[in-house]
C-alpha cells in the first residue's frame, strides 16, 4: 500500500525453487513463527501403533481364518496387519509432506509479494484485537496470511476464521478483511453492500435497527444500505460527500464496509489474502482510491463533546466576541460521544419468522395429537 512502490504481482506467479522455499521455512521456524512437522508425524505414528495393538490380534485371527491356518499362509496372516499399518503410515506421511510443501510455497510467495510492495507478511495472528463486527465473536478466532503496510497509513489485509456452536451445530465462519487506520475516531457507520446479500438478506453477522438507516442521494442506496447512530445523520452526510460516495461505488461495491472507532474495515465472505494477482490488483486499487479521500475525514469533530478553554487565551476585543476575561474555547477534541460510538442492534426478521414457524408447527402438532387421542 506504499505509494512510492509500484504494484508488483510477479512474486505470486514467478517460478520458485525448493531450496528457496526450504530455506525460508527454516527461517520461520528459527524465528518461532512455525512449529515442527515432526510432532505431527510422531502423533500419527503413536495413534497408528495404538490402533495396531488394539486391532492387530483381531486382524490376525481374521486373516488366519480366511487363509490356511496350518501352512505358510499363517505367517502371512501374522505379517499382513503390520504391512497394512506401515503402508497407511507411509501414505499419511507422504500426504502430510505434500500438503506442507504446498503451504510452504504459499507462505514464501506471499512474503516475497509483500516485500516487493513495501509491506510485510505475517503467518498468523490469534484473536486480533480489532473492534470490527466480525471480531470478538465465537471461538478459535484467528487471522492468517496478514499483509501489512505502514505508509502512508496502517493497512492490513488478511483472512479470518472463527467458530460458533458445538457438536453437530459447530460452524466455521470464513472472512477476508481490509483494516485501515484512520486519523481520528469517527461515529459507528456500516455500509451493508446490497450486491453480496443472500436469499435472506444481509450476510453480515449482526443486524441493526432499521430506524438507523440513512438514505443518501444519487444511486448510492442501490449499492449500499448505510446505517449510522440516531442523531448522527448530518455527520454521516459530512463524511460521505458525493465524491466519497462515488469512490465506494466504483471500487468497493462488492464489499461490506464498517467505520468504528478509528478504523475502516472492508469485509468479504471469502479469502482476500490469496495467490491470485487479480484479487490483489483489485484490492490495491480499492485501497488507494479510498486513501485519497480519508484525509478529509481527519477534520471531523463531534460537536456533542464539550469544547475546552484554550490555555493562556485572552479575549480578542472584537465586537460580538467573548467579553474580557472569558475563556476562549477551542474546537471539541477528537473523539465520539457515547451515543455515536456504536450502532444499536436490531432484530433479525429471518430469525423471528423461523421461531414463529417452529412455534406454529409445534402447536399444530400438539393439537393434532390431542384430537387424535
Amino acid at each position: 500500500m506504499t505509494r512510492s512502490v509500484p504494484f508488483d504481482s510477479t512474486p505470486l506467479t514467478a517460478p520458485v525453487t525448493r531450496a528457496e522455499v526450504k530455506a525460508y521455512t527454516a527461517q520461520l521456524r528459527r524465528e518461532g513463527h512455525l512449529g515442527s512437522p515432526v510432532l505431527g508425524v510422531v502423533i500419527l505414528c503413536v495413534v497408528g501403533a495404538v490402533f495396531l495393538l488394539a486391532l492387530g490380534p483381531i486382524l490376525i485371527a481374521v486373516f488366519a481364518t480366511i487363509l490356511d491356518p496350518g501352512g505358510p499362509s499363517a505367517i502371512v496372516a501374522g505379517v499382513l496387519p503390520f504391512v497394512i499399518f506401515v503402508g497407511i503410515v507411509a501414505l499419511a506421511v507422504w500426504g502430510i509432506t505434500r500438503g506442507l510443501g504446498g503451504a510452504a510455497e504459499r507462505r514464501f510467495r506471499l512474503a516475497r509479494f509483500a516485500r516487493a510492495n513495501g509491506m510485510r507478511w505475517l503467518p498468523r495472528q490469534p484473536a486480533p484485537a480489532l473492534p470490527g463486527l466480525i471480531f470478538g465473536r465465537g471461538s478459535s478466532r484467528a487471522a492468517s496470511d496478514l499483509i501489512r503496510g505502514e505508509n502512508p497509513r496502517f493497512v492490513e489485509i488478511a483472512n479470518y476464521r472463527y467458530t460458533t456452536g458445538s457438536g453437530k451445530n459447530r460452524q466455521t465462519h470464513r472472512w477476508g478483511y481490509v483494516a485501515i487506520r484512520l486519523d481520528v475516531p469517527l461515529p459507528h457507520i456500516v455500509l451493508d453492500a446490497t450486491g453480496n446479500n443472500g436469499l435472506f438478506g444481509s450476510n453480515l453477522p449482526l443486524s441493526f435497527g432499521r430506524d438507523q438507516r440513512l438514505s443518501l442521494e444519487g444511486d448510492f442506496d442501490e449499492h449500499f444500505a448505510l446505517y449510522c447512530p440516531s442523531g448522527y445523520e448530518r455527520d454521516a452526510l459530512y463524511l460521505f460527500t458525493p465524491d466519497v460516495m462515488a469512490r465506494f461505488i466504483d471500487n468497493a461495491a462488492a464489499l461490506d464496509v464498517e467505520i468504528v472507532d478509528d478504523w475502516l474495515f472492508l469485509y468479504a465472505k471469502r479469502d482476500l489474502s490469496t495467490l491470485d494477482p487479480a484479487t490483489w490488483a483489485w484490492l490495491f486499487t480499492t485501497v488507494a482510491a479510498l486513501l485519497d479521500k480519508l484525509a478529509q475525514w481527519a477534520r471531523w469533530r463531534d460537536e456533542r463533546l464539550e469544547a475546552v478553554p484554550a490555555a493562556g487565551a485572552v479575549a480578542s476585543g472584537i465586537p460580538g466576541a467573548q467579553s474580557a476575561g472569558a475563556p476562549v474555547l477551542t474546537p471539541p477534541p477528537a473523539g465520539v460521544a457515547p451515543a455515536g460510538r456504536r450502532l444499536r442492534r436490531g432484530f433479525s426478521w429471518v430469525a423471528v419468522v423461523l421461531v414463529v414457524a417452529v412455534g406454529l408447527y409445534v402447536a399444530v402438532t400438539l393439537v393434532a395429537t390431542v384430537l387424535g387421542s
Side-chain angles (χ1 to χ4, degrees):
M1 260 9 115
T2 306
R3 292 184 180 179
S4 60
V5 179
F7 174 69
D8 181 10
S9 65
T10 305
L12 298 173
T13 55
V16 298
T17 65
R18 293 184 61 183
E20 290 176 315
V21 174
K22 186 176 180 180
Y24 184 67
T25 300
Q27 175 186 336
L28 290 177
R29 291 204 175 97
R30 287 194 303 270
E31 295 173 351
H33 294 303
L34 287 179
S36 173
V38 175
L39 179 61
V41 175
V42 170
I43 293 175
L44 177 64
C45 292
V46 170
V47 172
V50 172
F51 174 82
L52 183 63
L53 291 174
L55 297 182
I58 299 176
L59 293 176
I60 292 174
V62 170
F63 288 127
T65 302
I66 296 174
L67 301 174
D68 181 10
S73 299
I75 299 177
V76 176
V79 173
L80 194 55
F82 295 95
V83 174
I84 294 175
F85 166 71
V86 172
I88 292 175
V89 171
L91 287 174
V93 171
W94 175 80
I96 292 173
T97 304
R98 184 173 181 180
L100 291 174
E105 182 178 326
R106 172 191 173 87
R107 291 191 294 266
F108 177 74
R109 289 185 179 278
L110 285 174
R112 195 168 63 168
F113 166 75
R115 277 197 311 272
N117 289 278
M119 307 175 77
R120 62 191 180 101
W121 169 84
L122 294 172
R124 192 172 184 272
Q125 176 65 55
L130 295 171
L133 58 86
I134 70 170
F135 305 101
R137 302 178 60 82
S139 60
S140 303
R141 301 183 295 269
S144 61
D145 288 330
L146 300 86
I147 304 289
R148 286 179 179 174
E150 303 284 349
N151 186 28
R153 65 176 69 239
F154 179 90
V155 177
E156 178 176 283
I157 301 173
N159 306 322
Y160 184 68
R161 302 284 187 275
Y162 68 90
T163 60
T164 56
S166 60
K168 294 182 179 179
N169 296 322
R170 184 178 178 85
Q171 182 180 1
T172 299
H173 303 266
R174 301 178 53 182
W175 291 89
Y177 71 86
V178 180
I180 303 174
R181 197 69 180 262
L182 303 176
D183 296 304
V184 296
L186 296 176
H188 191 194
I189 295 175
V190 170
L191 277 62
D192 186 359
T194 59
N196 60 20
N197 287 344
L199 179 63
F200 298 107
S202 174
N203 65 347
L204 293 174
L206 295 176
S207 60
F208 304 100
R210 298 180 67 85
D211 60 327
Q212 300 172 111
R213 172 81 183 271
L214 176 63
S215 179
L216 298 182
E217 63 182 23
D219 59 350
F220 191 82
D221 290 355
E222 298 177 9
H223 300 277
F224 295 101
L226 187 149
Y227 295 89
C228 70
S230 299
Y232 279 80
E233 293 80 6
R234 189 177 67 172
D235 303 273
L237 294 175
Y238 172 86
L239 297 173
F240 287 89
T241 54
D243 58 327
V244 173
M245 288 191 290
R247 291 295 177 97
F248 277 95
I249 293 173
D250 294 341
N251 298 279
L255 301 167
D256 297 300
V257 183
E258 182 182 20
I259 301 169
V260 56
D261 298 338
D262 54 348
W263 290 94
L264 169 67
F265 295 104
L266 308 176
Y267 302 124
K269 286 284 288 184
R270 63 182 180 89
D271 287 350
L272 290 180
S273 185
T274 71
L275 297 181
D276 179 29
T279 296
W280 282 109
W282 167 58
L283 288 173
F284 270 61
T285 300
T286 298
V287 172
L290 297 180
L291 290 182
D292 285 341
K293 296 298 179 182
L294 295 184
Q296 66 193 60
W297 286 1
R299 298 189 294 271
W300 178 85
R301 292 296 183 271
D302 193 341
E303 297 177 353
R304 299 154 191 83
L305 296 175
E306 293 185 3
V308 296
V314 296
S316 65
I318 300 174
Q322 294 171 322
S323 60
V328 177
L329 299 181
T330 64
V336 184
R341 292 174 188 169
R342 293 296 183 271
L343 284 163
R344 189 179 66 259
R345 298 183 185 181
F347 293 103
S348 172
W349 292 106
V350 175
V352 172
V353 170
L354 290 175
V355 170
V356 171
V358 171
L360 289 175
Y361 172 78
V362 172
V364 170
T365 302
L366 289 174
V367 171
T369 302
V370 171
L371 294 178
S373 59

